[in-house]
Amino acid sequence: MYYVIMPSQDIRRNLATEQYLLNQRTFDEPLVLFYIQKPCVIVGRNQNVRAEVDLKYAKEHQVMITRRLSGGGAVYDDLGNLSFSFVVNADHASFGNFKLFTQPIIEALHEMGATGAEVSGRNDLMIDGKKFSGNAMYTKNKKMYSHGTLMLDVDLDEVSRVLTVSEKKLASKGTKSVRSRVTNLKPYLAKEYQDITTEAFRDKLLLHLFSADTMEAIQTHEYKLTQADEQAIDQLVADIYANDAWIFGEEPKYTIKREEKFKGGLIEANISIEKDRITAITIYGDYFSQKDTQEVADLLIGCKYAPEAIKQVLAPIRIDDYFANVTKEEFVQLLVD
């Protein structure tokens, strides 16, 4: 295994680095990345930014907003959070299997005293019934990354101030607010780790992953970005992660809004209907997908707005490729009863 420690505290650059290493570099072993960033919100690929983030508050308090390639929900990060990413060769069976990648993290946390930490639900890490980590996956060209957050000492008040989560999503968690369902790891760590910095926390996890005692012992496993790498990453930041068109997208007018929480996540469909046919449809949500959801939306344009007609249009595709853990029947019912 190789590792990369990101020097940047800019989430846009860190996500661009992750994408670049996935698409442009080939490693003969898995790669693990660790990164720490200034206050920011990262929305999932399929989410509606305006519905997930208090944009006015974010602007006033200099909270950076960007969108990642992977699905899942919005997360708030600051310098008290550690992000990690495993880059591996893609295996269809491992897509959605978050435990495969997070179990080594859980084991390291147990060694540091957080013995109650566990994998819970479809993509969360929990302790004492509260979430301290969210995870997401992305696959392309037979490679995949699984990345997540670790809330060591995050300003929890900021989480509820800047994120505006769907009531249906909160209801499914059995809680009434974002703030009430998240927690930091630091209070659960052993006494000797109560003053640990995010950087020292990162190094402890690295040493556990490599079964080593010192950072010097694993130096030969570190991949350091070259000047050519940095230039390519700069271009990705400009083209994607700092690009408002990618971050915010278009929000067309619609005549019908449907929203439902499934096993695979929250899906929201905004549909325009003219003369009983679908003329436009935008699909948002915190679901995970292996293929671009826009392909489904494109198929539905011009389709009669009726269950049987929609089923017929969707018959040739595997809906699970676009909405993990959602059946075709559930998706059709979401669009129209």
Side-chain angles (χ1 to χ4, degrees):
M1 184 165 61
Y2 299 98
Y3 71 91
V4 176
I5 293 178
M6 312 276 209
S8 171
Q9 293 183 339
D10 184 330
I11 183 58
R12 301 170 302 182
R13 185 166 191 80
N14 290 337
L15 289 175
T17 302
E18 182 180 60
Q19 180 183 347
Y20 171 77
L21 292 173
L22 175 79
N23 293 335
Q24 305 299 327
R25 284 287 178 263
T26 300
F27 297 88
D28 55 2
E29 295 181 29
L31 175 70
V32 62
L33 294 72
F34 283 100
Y35 43 106
I36 303 166
Q37 43 268 332
K38 294 177 181 178
C40 58
V41 172
I42 312 102
V43 298
R45 177 168 187 161
N46 305 304
Q47 290 189 293
N48 181 347
V49 177
R50 296 171 181 84
E52 298 290 334
V53 185
D54 185 331
L55 298 178
K56 182 174 182 292
Y57 183 89
K59 182 178 181 180
E60 290 175 350
H61 293 81
Q62 297 182 315
V63 178
M64 188 172 291
I65 300 171
T66 192
R67 182 188 297 275
R68 61 181 184 268
L69 293 176
S70 58
V75 295
Y76 170 81
D77 286 1
D78 61 21
L79 296 174
N81 177 82
L82 175 65
S83 295
F84 64 91
S85 178
F86 291 95
V87 180
V88 299
N89 290 328
D91 174 0
H92 183 79
S94 66
F95 189 85
N97 183 3
F98 292 99
K99 189 172 183 178
L100 180 68
F101 299 98
T102 57
Q103 191 58 38
I105 300 292
I106 291 292
E107 291 169 1
L109 295 177
H110 288 179
E111 286 187 0
M112 297 176 70
T115 55
E118 61 181 351
V119 181
S120 178
R122 62 178 182 137
N123 64 320
D124 294 341
L125 302 186
M126 310 276 285
I127 192 165
D128 196 23
K130 294 184 178 182
K131 174 180 174 179
F132 65 84
S133 170
N135 294 268
M137 287 184 175
Y138 174 74
T139 181
K140 185 178 181 181
N141 297 333
K142 298 182 179 180
K143 294 176 71 178
M144 180 178 79
Y145 62 64
S146 178
H147 56 187
T149 57
L150 291 168
M151 299 172 67
L152 176 68
D153 194 20
V154 171
D155 185 342
L156 297 180
D157 289 332
E158 286 296 276
V159 177
S160 55
R161 286 172 182 149
V162 74
L163 295 182
T164 54
V165 182
S166 162
E167 290 184 6
K168 283 195 176 184
K169 184 173 182 179
L170 288 174
S172 74
K173 302 288 184 178
T175 52
K176 294 183 179 179
S177 70
V178 180
R179 175 68 176 83
S180 68
R181 59 178 292 259
V182 298
T183 189
N184 281 316
L185 274 168
K186 185 173 280 190
Y188 298 94
L189 299 179
K191 185 177 180 180
E192 61 264 36
Y193 300 115
Q194 286 304 303
D195 295 323
I196 196 169
T197 64
T198 312
E199 291 76 12
F201 179 60
R202 173 198 65 204
D203 293 349
K204 285 291 296 182
L205 293 181
L206 259 176
L207 292 177
H208 174 84
L209 291 175
F210 282 90
S211 300
D213 295 323
T214 66
M215 293 297 291
E216 290 75 17
I218 63 173
Q219 283 182 342
T220 56
H221 295 271
E222 182 176 10
Y223 178 78
K224 294 187 178 180
L225 299 173
T226 66
Q227 185 175 357
D229 292 340
E230 297 282 8
Q231 290 174 347
I233 291 165
D234 285 341
Q235 193 62 53
L236 280 175
V237 172
D239 291 346
I240 301 177
Y241 298 100
N243 184 339
D244 282 351
W246 164 254
I247 298 168
F248 294 96
E250 296 183 10
E251 193 172 13
K253 295 180 180 180
Y254 56 89
T255 52
I256 296 173
K257 176 178 178 178
R258 303 295 300 265
E259 182 183 65
E260 192 55 70
K261 181 74 170 65
F262 301 101
K263 180 182 177 182
L266 185 78
I267 303 179
E268 173 192 328
N270 295 336
I271 311 167
S272 293
I273 306 294
E274 291 182 15
K275 297 181 180 179
D276 203 30
R277 292 190 177 271
I278 298 172
T279 57
I281 178 169
T282 305
I283 304 171
Y284 298 113
D286 64 357
Y287 53 87
F288 297 110
S289 59
Q290 296 188 66
K291 294 185 178 180
D292 190 347
T293 309
Q294 186 58 43
E295 295 177 12
V296 178
D298 292 343
L299 278 176
L300 292 169
I301 300 301
C303 176
K304 185 177 180 181
Y305 186 60
E308 291 306 317
I310 292 173
K311 287 178 186 178
Q312 185 174 353
V313 166
L314 298 179
I317 68 171
R318 273 174 46 94
I319 206 71
D320 192 66
D321 288 340
Y322 301 93
F323 308 97
N325 291 315
V326 176
T327 68
K328 193 168 290 185
E329 292 73 19
E330 288 174 331
F331 182 66
V332 172
Q333 188 172 11
L334 163 75
L335 299 181
V336 54
D337 286 329

